[in-house]
Amino acid sequence: MYIVYILQDSGEKLYKGMTSNLARRLAEHKSGHTASTKQLKNPVVVYTEKYDNFKQAREREIYFKTAA
């Protein structure tokens, strides 16, 4: 299973991503080991969607990242 997720930090910045292990990925974001979210302060998951296959999840992640 794949999870498309949106993080929000205390400054209301958003980050959209995809993973097969949300707990591990959130820990990586919070620890500063992810370059794209290193600047986020106290990120929390505000939205998730679950998909059975990688292709569908990736398409949805791309949609979130490119939608206005």
Side-chain angles (χ1 to χ4, degrees), residues 5 11 14 17 23 25 29 42 46 48-49 54 62 64-65 67:
Y5 62 93
L14 298 176
R25 191 67 177 133
H29 287 304
N42 302 316
V46 294
T48 62
E49 290 181 358
F54 178 87
I62 290 170
F64 279 140
K65 288 185 174 187

Side-chain angles (χ1 to χ4, degrees), residues 24-64:
R24 175 191 51 81
R25 191 67 177 133
L26 184 57
E28 291 172 354
H29 287 304
K30 287 184 175 187
S31 69
H33 288 107
T34 306
S36 58
T37 58
K38 201 171 196 173
Q39 76 284 358
L40 295 182
K41 294 177 176 70
N42 302 316
V44 294
V45 177
V46 294
Y47 185 77
T48 62
E49 290 181 358
K50 296 179 182 178
Y51 293 90
D52 290 327
N53 69 63
F54 178 87
K55 184 176 185 270
Q56 288 177 324
R58 180 69 176 135
E59 288 172 355
R60 187 65 166 162
E61 177 193 23
I62 290 170
Y63 170 79
F64 279 140

